[in-house]
Amino acid sequence: MTERPDTPAPVTLGTERLILRPPQQSDVDAIFEACQDAEIQRWTVVPSPYRREDAEYFVNDLAANGWRTGDNLIWCVLERETGALVGTQGLVSCPGRPGAAEVGWWAAKEFRGRGYTAEAARGVARYGLTELGLRRLEWVAYVGNEGSRAIAEKVGFRFEGTLRSFAEQRGEFRDSWVAGLLATDLAG
């Protein structure tokens, strides 16, 4: 991919309780620890087993190149009060569908159930739909990921259906739920 002239510079977002900023080298250990969680490995495409080298690749290559090209914007979500890593959020462009991007997230086990992921996702959605001028955001999750679905619904995503044998995870195609969000759908 080549850098586009309209590529956004890395940006930090803030919410009431959270700071969202591009991943830094200092995040590698916390990302490595969080991604040891079986639930993160079950519902995402992170490697399993997850090695420290995977966290280094995530920070130094995937996130850095994603911001450089503007095709994969990744944020570390930090608790404003403590600076602890809560999780990550991502906004990935959808090739062949101008103005559309897919959202994604994971939360460290100890921070689930506090509303942090929905708060962060709402901030990313507002940024994408207003600041970047995207026309549509898409949420895709493997069928059965009720936690992610609840977050998408809290943010205002509208469920659009089930796509059979749609998303690949470690060489296996899985059925996936899909939902969409337009600027008029933003909740809260």
Side-chain angles (χ1 to χ4, degrees), residues 141-161:
Y142 303 127
V143 168
N145 190 343
E146 297 291 346
S148 187
R149 183 173 179 160
I151 290 161
E153 289 172 348
K154 285 178 187 173
V155 174
F157 281 84
R158 294 187 186 184
F159 186 75
E160 296 174 337

Side-chain angles (χ1 to χ4, degrees), residues 52-136:
R52 188 172 198 292
E53 294 81 24
D54 297 317
E56 290 170 349
Y57 169 79
F58 179 79
V59 169
N60 299 322
D61 292 310
L62 188 66
N65 288 331
W67 278 103
R68 183 182 54 75
T69 64
D71 290 334
N72 188 4
L73 310 183
I74 298 172
W75 290 269
C76 279
V77 179
L78 307 172
E79 194 175 41
R80 187 180 289 274
E81 188 175 302
T82 65
L85 178 75
V86 170
T88 64
Q89 292 275 330
L91 195 57
V92 181
S93 64
C94 297
R97 293 197 313 280
E102 183 179 330
V103 297
W105 49 70
W106 58 255
K109 181 174 21 182
E110 61 271 21
F111 291 102
R112 293 182 196 139
R114 300 184 192 184
Y116 284 159
T117 305
E119 183 177 327
R122 198 172 288 113
V124 168
R126 282 195 178 107
Y127 174 74
L129 292 169
T130 59
E131 300 299 317
L132 296 180
L134 296 171
R135 64 177 174 78
R136 173 183 169 80

Side-chain angles (χ1 to χ4, degrees), residues 38-46 48 102 140-146 148 161-178:
E39 289 300 295
I40 291 175
Q41 293 182 21
R42 177 181 180 192
W43 297 116
T44 72
V45 295
V46 302
S48 180
E102 183 179 330
V140 178
Y142 303 127
V143 168
N145 190 343
E146 297 291 346
S148 187
T162 301
L163 303 172
R164 297 179 306 145
S165 190
F166 180 74
E168 184 181 9
Q169 182 192 44
R170 297 180 205 98
E172 177 186 343
F173 283 91
R174 298 179 60 180
D175 294 352
S176 300
W177 289 325
V178 64

Side-chain angles (χ1 to χ4, degrees), residues 23-45:
Q24 302 172 355
Q25 185 63 36
S26 60
D27 299 317
V28 167
D29 289 337
I31 292 168
F32 169 71
E33 287 301 320
C35 288
Q36 298 308 303
D37 178 34
E39 289 300 295
I40 291 175
Q41 293 182 21
R42 177 181 180 192
W43 297 116
T44 72
V45 295

